Amino acid sequence: MFTRIAILSLLFSPPIFAEQIPPEVRISVFSTAAYPIQNAQLAHAVHYLDGVEQWEAHFSQTLSSNPAQAEHQAKSLLEAAETQNQLRELYKTYQSVIVGWQNGIRKIPAVLFEHPLVGKSVVYGENDVKKAISYWENWLEQQKREE
């Protein structure tokens, strides 16, 4: 079961630096365009959960307001070679939504930590991956002290 980390209680802990993250820990970030991710290079994967809506909005802007014309335009666009790349991107975007759902992500931004010994933990409400790592590491230290 997921461990929910209470960020407020961890804000007062001394910082631990991200360089100490063990290589077996996988970090995934879940967000939308409204919450740009900082220090994304520290994560293994970044999932933007509003990508489907953005793709559909972009695609629909190219279509006529006339339904018959729009249908014809959509069929032509979907058959075009350059659209195949866009469809692959749409597929990846749906995969991000599925990954978030499978991992129980309830709010965004969210940083998911998957540790082989500790399991899955989520830091909610933080769009800076470096800070989320610090919160997670502080939480781990706190757990060790309580054992």
Side-chain angles (χ1 to χ4, degrees), residues 51-102:
V52 174
E53 292 86 3
Q54 290 179 358
W55 189 92
E56 288 173 347
H58 175 73
F59 185 76
S60 65
Q61 288 176 351
T62 63
L63 302 176
S64 169
S65 59
N66 178 312
Q69 278 185 319
E71 181 180 355
H72 178 69
Q73 289 172 326
K75 286 180 182 177
S76 295
L77 279 171
L78 291 174
E79 293 171 359
E82 61 270 8
T83 306
Q84 295 308 309
N85 288 336
Q86 292 176 344
L87 290 175
R88 279 190 283 283
E89 287 301 314
L90 180 63
Y91 174 79
K92 289 179 188 176
T93 301
Y94 271 111
Q95 285 299 112
S96 289
V97 172
I98 291 168
V99 169
W101 179 77
Q102 288 174 331

Side-chain angles (χ1 to χ4, degrees), residues 29-47:
V29 181
F30 299 86
S31 191
T32 64
Y35 301 101
I37 300 302
Q38 297 172 6
N39 294 303
Q41 75 279 2
L42 298 175
H44 295 93
V46 177
H47 303 280

Side-chain angles (χ1 to χ4, degrees), residues 45 67 81 92 111 137:
K92 289 179 188 176
V111 182
E137 288 177 326

